[in-house]
């Protein structure tokens, strides 16, 4: 079966000998003697320290199993049929000393970066870890689809800042979706195109937003197929197996230290390496020596060293979640096994960037209780730090850990306020009232259904009050309110947003049960969920009793009140400043480099996914290019690639069952194109991510 080759944004050279090269290499012809290296990936300098420093599984027993007394298990990635590139990140591959263009033009590139072929020096392995999932200890989890390929030495000439962030001198590279491991549980170890594209794009946009993250070097798809029931609706479909290349100093996580956990009092599960305390010591020494060398050098006492290490993890975690909150990012699955020991954003699954501001925003449709909602993220991260502290005991004394955890909230608030002041352009003074101003802004955004990203981006257009210009104040406030009202929700949108997700009869039954049988009620629901449903009902009732004109007037009044307070605060920024114009220019520059113009909204990712599923990878590449400069306007890149009527220019032959999939996938080209920096279109409300 034939497929349209990826239309890459950069020039490619297609050589007629490529199929022959693949055939010769696959047939073992690379044993015929030394020739010129055919692939830049074969020149990567591996130094797989983790496999030397941490216990390796000695069992060769096939299949899924409990792995005791080991941190890694050797695995054999499963080859894909006809792997091909969807896209690469030139900047991420440069971390490994690779040229994106050379990798794209490498006939063996898709094989190596999908795990279909093993690079010289690579030692494929899967990592063993445990985790608390939705608050319950799940026992052994591990890399069920990800595969450690090895650690690549940093090439010469790296940015000194990168060396500071990655003092180990190596980048761990993984392929995600390369097949079965001992930790695959009931799954098949494969990932599909939609989830791979989402992880690839979000890993990169988070980096360009300035948020600590693992990186993604490439996404490869193939002619191999797996069956997936996307919405668990009983309508499974064949989907292409795809693989993401992931890059980080290490992928060790909080859950890596939970493999030593004794039997949990609630679930009865225990870590597979319970009782092997010497491995915990070994792993802790490895992490601190490799990734926190300053702490290792500054503390000769082990306990003080371990406390300092934990304090740094707490600080990095607080800073990370504050950055998430300030761009409206919701992770979706903040289990302990998805929390990086380096304070990086890790494992991109059902994440979401918030559109209309709602503190109760839940991006993961499977999160019925809202445990991982937007507003819950800071508290959940603290909870996860408590579980990490428990996992590090007795190497980390519990009383010392508790003292450090008590610092978390103040650290988070400090980072959050620091970021928010920059978003509002409050650069010269820190005033206690700033916290109230920020809270009132968010409340006004919530009341009016304002778009999170675009509202903050618009704030730099609100001018500072000029001295002696009191007469024009009313017009300035009115114009600013009209600017922000463009980002607010309509009456019908607010009605839809406040429609309870629970059937009224079910809600009435649960309310009655909460009174008559509290024990049973706690088993099937919780008071926070019921409170959210009642709040929505109350708001919906008010909305049903108004009309669009009344609502718009009310919203304008709310915004005018806040803008008036904001401009007064901006005026105090100018007090004592000799060059008012320079202060105003600096404010706009800082705000426009802090408030992104574009983020990876679900509808943007969905358009790219649907085009890719129909064989057109150009939109994935275009979205990546847009996201590489999220704070800037890029002429010629305002709209999707198919907005000019291009769409999918060719179709390959389709195998049985794929025609319906491609018809659904091509729906993106039938929609009216929406600019990347726009509020989401109406159809975006139907996107469901689990």
């Amino acid at each position: 079966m034939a497929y349209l080759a990826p239309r890459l944004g950069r020039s490619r050279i297609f050589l007629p000998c490529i199929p022959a090269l693949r055939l010769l290499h696959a047939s073992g012809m690379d044993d015929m003697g030394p020739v010129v290296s055919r692939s830049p990936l074969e020149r990567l300098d591996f130094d797989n320290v983790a496999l030397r420093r941490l216990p390796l599984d000695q069992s060769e027993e096939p299949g899924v199993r409990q792995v005791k007394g080991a941190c890694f298990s050797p695995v054999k990635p499963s080859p894909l049929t006809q792997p091909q590139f969807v896209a690469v990140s030139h900047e991420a591959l440069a971390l490994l000393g690779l040229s994106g263009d050379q990798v794209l033009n490498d006939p063996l590139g898709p094989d190596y970066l999908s795990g279909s072929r093993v690079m010289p020096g690579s030692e494929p392995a899967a990592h063993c870890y445990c985790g608390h999932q939705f608050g319950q200890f799940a026992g052994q989890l591990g890399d069920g689809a990800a595969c450690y390929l090895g650690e690549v030495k940093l090439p010469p000439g790296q940015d000194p800042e990168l060396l500071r962030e990655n003092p180990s001198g190596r980048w761990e590279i993984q392929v995600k979706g390369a097949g079965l491991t001992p930790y695959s549980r009931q799954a098949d170890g494969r990932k599909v195109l939609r989830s791979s594209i989402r992880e690839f794009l979000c890993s990169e946009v988070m980096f360009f937003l300035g948020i600590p993250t693992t990186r993604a070097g490439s996404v490869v798809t193939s002619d191999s197929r797996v069956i997936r029931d996307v919405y668990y609706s009983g309508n499974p479909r064949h989907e292409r197996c795809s693989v993401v290349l992931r890059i980080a100093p290490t992928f060790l996580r909080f859950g890596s230290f939970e493999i030593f956990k004794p039997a949990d009092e609630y679930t009865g599960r225990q870590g597979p390496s319970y009782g092997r305390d010497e491995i915990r010591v070994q792993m802790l020494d490895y992490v601190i020596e490799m990734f926190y060398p300053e702490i290792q050098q500054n503390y000769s006492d082990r306990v003080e060293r371990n406390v300092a290490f934990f304090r740094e993890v707490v600080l990095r975690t607080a800073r990370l979640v504050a950055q998430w909150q300030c761009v409206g990012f919701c992770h979706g699955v903040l289990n302990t096994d998805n929390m990086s020991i380096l304070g990086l954003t890790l494992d991109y699954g059902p994440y979401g960037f918030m559109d209309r501001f709602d503190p109760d925003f839940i991006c993961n449709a499977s999160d019925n209780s809202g445990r991982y909602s937007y507003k819950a993220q800071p508290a959940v991260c603290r909870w996860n730090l408590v579980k990490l502290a428990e996992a590090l005991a007795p190497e980390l004394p519990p009383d010392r850990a508790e003292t450090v955890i008590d610092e978390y909230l103040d650290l988070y608030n400090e980072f959050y306020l620091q970021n928010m002041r920059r978003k509002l352009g409050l650069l010269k003074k820190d005033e206690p009232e700033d916290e109230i101003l920020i809270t009132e802004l968010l409340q006004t955004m919530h009341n009016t259904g304002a778009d999170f990203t675009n509202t903050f981006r618009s704030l730099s257009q609100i001018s500072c009050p000029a001295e002696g210009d009191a007469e024009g104040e009313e017009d300035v406030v009115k114009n600013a309110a009209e600017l922000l009202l463009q980002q607010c929700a309509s009456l019908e949108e607010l009605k839809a947003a406040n429609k309870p997700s629970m059937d009224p009869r079910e809600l009435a039954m649960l309310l009655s049960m909460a009174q008559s049988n509290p024990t049973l009620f706690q088993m099937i629901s919780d008071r926070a969920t019921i409170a959210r449903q009642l709040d929505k009902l109350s708001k919906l009732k008010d909305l049903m009793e108004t009309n669009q004109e009344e609502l718009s007037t009310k919203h304008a009044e709310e915004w005018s009140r806040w803008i008036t307070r904001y401009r007064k605060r901006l005026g105090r920024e100018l007090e004592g400043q000799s060059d008012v114009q320079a202060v105003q220019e600096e404010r706009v520059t800082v705000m426009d480099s802090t408030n992104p113009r574009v983020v990876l909204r679900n509808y943007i990712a969905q358009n790219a996914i649907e085009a890719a599923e129909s064989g057109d990878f150009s939109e994935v590449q275009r979205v990546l290019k847009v996201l590489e400069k999220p704070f800037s306007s890029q002429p010629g890149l305002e709209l999707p690639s198919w907005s000019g009527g291009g769409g999918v220019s060719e179709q390959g032959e389709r195998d049985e069952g794929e025609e319906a999939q491609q018809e659904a996938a091509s729906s993106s080209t039938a929609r009216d194109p929406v600019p990347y920096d726009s509020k989401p279109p109406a159809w975006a409300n139907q996107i469901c991510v689990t």
Side-chain angles (χ1 to χ4, degrees):
M1 112 184 206
Y3 277 95
L4 176 68
R7 297 204 303 271
L8 297 162
R10 299 168 188 254
S11 61
R12 292 190 64 179
I13 301 172
F14 293 91
L15 302 176
C17 60
I18 284 176
L21 268 175
R22 282 181 183 253
L23 183 62
L24 287 171
H25 203 84
S27 303
M29 296 297 285
D30 41 343
D31 294 330
M32 292 180 64
V35 199
V36 177
S37 174
R38 289 183 293 267
S39 170
L41 295 162
E42 293 172 0
R43 297 193 291 270
L44 291 177
D45 188 4
F46 282 92
D47 183 18
N48 307 324
V49 177
L51 300 188
R52 297 198 301 271
R53 292 284 304 272
L54 300 175
L56 193 61
D57 180 16
Q58 298 302 310
S59 172
E60 296 182 1
E61 181 186 345
V64 176
R65 55 189 168 80
Q66 285 283 300
V67 175
K68 300 179 180 180
C71 298
F72 288 92
S73 298
V75 296
K76 293 181 179 179
S78 303
L80 295 173
T81 303
Q82 289 294 101
Q84 60 176 310
F85 282 121
V86 175
V88 304
S89 169
H90 293 256
E91 294 222 18
L93 290 177
L95 297 173
L96 309 177
L98 294 169
S99 158
D101 287 324
Q102 286 184 353
V103 171
L104 284 170
N105 289 310
D106 179 5
L108 297 176
D111 292 276
Y112 279 136
L113 296 187
S114 65
S116 300
R117 185 182 298 274
V118 177
M119 290 174 274
S122 171
E123 298 178 81
H127 177 42
C128 180
Y129 53 81
C130 294
H132 283 79
Q133 299 191 319
F134 287 88
Q136 302 295 319
F137 185 64
Q140 177 179 294
L141 298 170
D143 286 336
C147 173
Y148 163 105
L149 294 182
E151 297 157 65
V152 177
K153 289 183 180 179
L154 269 63
Q158 285 277 359
D159 183 341
E161 184 66 17
L162 282 177
L163 295 173
R164 188 183 67 81
E165 294 176 3
N166 181 12
S168 71
R170 301 178 312 284
W171 292 105
E172 179 182 329
I173 59 174
Q174 287 188 347
V175 282
K176 186 174 181 179
L180 287 168
T181 78
Y183 313 105
S184 295
R185 302 187 289 286
Q186 289 80 37
D188 54 22
R190 290 299 193 190
K191 294 296 176 181
V192 295
L193 195 52
R194 54 191 162 81
S195 61
S196 299
I197 287 172
R198 280 175 56 85
E199 172 140 16
F200 172 75
L201 290 175
C202 201
S203 299
E204 291 305 280
V205 72
M206 291 296 269
F207 171 77
F208 291 109
L209 286 170
I211 298 173
T213 179
T214 60
R215 301 294 301 276
S218 64
V219 58
V220 172
T221 193
S222 70
D223 288 348
S224 300
R225 298 289 196 279
V226 287
I227 295 177
R228 293 287 188 268
D229 187 348
V230 184
Y231 301 115
Y232 307 103
S233 60
N235 297 304
R237 73 181 197 188
H238 284 87
E239 296 192 61
R240 288 170 174 256
C241 294
S242 304
V243 175
V244 176
L245 176 74
R246 307 203 300 179
I247 305 169
T250 181
F251 285 88
L252 295 179
R253 53 201 71 206
F254 289 11
S256 302
F257 289 94
E258 292 188 296
I259 63 173
F260 315 106
K261 181 176 170 57
D264 185 79
E265 60 178 313
Y266 299 108
T267 66
R269 300 187 181 100
Q270 70 177 35
S273 293
Y274 168 62
R276 298 294 303 273
D277 291 352
E278 76 282 1
I279 300 178
R280 176 172 48 228
V281 173
Q282 201 173 342
M283 191 188 305
L284 191 55
D285 287 347
Y286 169 74
V287 168
I288 297 174
E289 290 171 18
M290 289 294 106
F291 307 108
Y292 296 88
E294 288 187 5
I295 291 175
Q296 178 68 25
Q297 293 164 10
N298 292 340
Y299 294 90
S300 56
D301 181 86
R302 285 188 63 84
V303 170
E304 295 304 321
R305 182 201 68 165
N306 295 345
V307 170
F309 158 71
F310 184 63
R311 177 172 280 112
E312 180 65 19
V313 174
V314 168
L315 182 145
R316 292 187 186 194
T317 302
R319 181 172 55 206
L320 177 67
V321 70
Q323 290 176 285
W324 290 347
Q325 301 301 97
C326 289
V327 295
F329 175 78
C330 200
H331 184 282
V333 200
L334 281 176
N335 301 325
T336 56
D337 54 291
N338 293 333
M339 297 284 293
S340 163
I341 204 68
L342 301 184
L344 307 175
T345 313
L346 175 69
D347 286 350
Y348 292 92
Y351 65 82
F353 283 89
M354 185 161 44
D355 295 318
R356 176 182 50 79
F357 177 68
D358 179 3
D360 290 317
F361 171 63
I362 299 169
C363 61
N364 179 359
S366 306
D367 184 8
N368 297 320
S369 68
R371 176 180 175 85
Y372 298 141
S373 68
Y374 170 79
K375 74 177 183 184
Q377 290 186 135
V380 165
C381 286
R382 182 190 182 281
W383 191 91
N384 288 341
L385 285 164
V386 170
K387 294 303 167 187
L388 174 61
E390 291 174 2
L392 293 175
E395 288 295 303
L396 176 68
D399 58 328
R400 300 293 301 277
E402 186 176 349
T403 300
V404 174
I405 287 172
D406 286 343
E407 301 169 6
Y408 171 83
L409 188 58
D410 287 340
L411 285 169
Y412 166 76
N413 285 332
E414 180 183 340
F415 288 126
Y416 180 79
L417 280 173
Q418 180 183 356
N419 288 337
M420 276 295 182
R421 284 192 174 105
R422 289 177 62 83
K423 290 175 78 69
L424 269 65
L426 308 178
L427 311 176
K428 302 301 179 182
K429 298 180 179 181
D430 291 354
E431 296 189 358
E433 294 80 7
D434 291 348
E435 213 167 329
I436 299 172
L437 185 69
I438 293 164
T439 301
E440 289 177 344
L441 168 61
L442 295 176
Q443 186 61 59
T444 304
M445 290 171 64
H446 188 206
N447 294 345
T448 61
D451 185 87
F452 186 92
T453 301
N454 290 1
T455 298
F456 276 105
R457 182 72 178 185
S458 299
L459 292 182
S460 65
Q461 298 179 53
I462 299 177
S463 62
C464 294
E467 190 174 346
D469 194 27
E471 289 184 7
E473 177 69 14
E474 186 175 335
D475 287 340
V476 172
V477 171
K478 181 182 177 182
N479 292 336
E482 289 176 355
L483 173 71
L484 296 178
L485 284 169
Q486 295 174 21
Q487 303 304 331
C488 295
S490 68
L491 176 60
E492 293 308 311
E493 287 171 336
L494 286 176
K495 284 180 180 178
N498 285 286
K499 184 179 179 181
S501 57
M502 194 177 289
D503 184 278
R505 292 168 295 182
E506 181 185 359
L507 181 58
M509 180 197 71
L510 289 171
L511 285 169
S512 175
M513 185 184 298
Q515 298 294 323
S516 61
N517 194 338
T519 304
L520 180 59
F521 170 78
Q522 289 178 3
M523 292 173 63
I524 60 177
S525 188
D526 61 87
R527 295 188 181 277
T529 300
I530 300 301
R532 283 197 301 273
Q533 297 296 314
L534 292 174
D535 183 55
K536 285 191 171 187
L537 269 177
S538 175
K539 289 179 179 177
L540 182 61
K541 179 177 178 294
D542 291 341
L543 291 167
M544 297 298 288
E545 296 172 354
T546 190
N547 57 47
Q548 183 62 59
E549 185 178 353
E550 291 173 346
L551 184 69
S552 296
T553 300
K554 181 183 177 184
H555 286 178
E557 290 171 352
E558 287 193 62
W559 275 115
S560 295
R561 284 194 296 271
W562 184 82
I563 291 165
T564 300
R565 287 191 287 270
Y566 178 47
R567 277 172 50 81
K568 286 181 179 177
R569 175 64 181 86
L570 291 177
R572 294 197 292 276
E573 286 283 292
L574 304 179
E575 292 174 357
Q577 299 294 325
S578 58
D579 191 341
V580 171
Q581 182 66 27
V583 172
Q584 300 217 45
E585 290 176 358
E586 180 191 9
R587 167 182 164 260
V588 171
T589 299
V590 169
M591 291 178 74
D592 285 349
S593 62
T594 305
N595 296 313
R597 185 185 70 86
V598 60
V599 293
L600 184 62
R601 298 177 188 261
N602 273 339
Y603 81 88
I604 295 174
Q606 189 64 23
N607 278 336
I609 289 165
E610 290 179 1
E613 286 181 333
S614 66
D616 176 8
F617 305 146
S618 64
E619 183 61 13
V620 178
Q621 298 148 19
R622 187 179 182 88
V623 169
L624 175 61
K625 193 169 184 179
V626 171
L627 296 176
E628 286 176 344
K629 296 181 179 179
F631 301 101
S632 306
S633 177
Q634 299 185 66
L637 291 174
E638 296 88 356
L639 289 164
S641 55
W642 44 264
S643 61
V648 182
S649 59
E650 297 181 45
Q651 292 291 330
E653 297 174 9
R654 292 176 284 188
D655 61 1
E656 185 178 354
E658 191 182 357
E659 188 162 346
Q661 177 181 333
Q662 291 207 359
E663 286 175 3
S666 65
S667 63
S668 63
T669 61
R671 304 181 184 122
D672 291 333
V674 177
Y676 295 121
D677 62 354
S678 171
K679 290 168 57 181
W683 62 263
N685 294 326
Q686 301 169 16
I687 298 173
C688 177
V689 185
T690 62

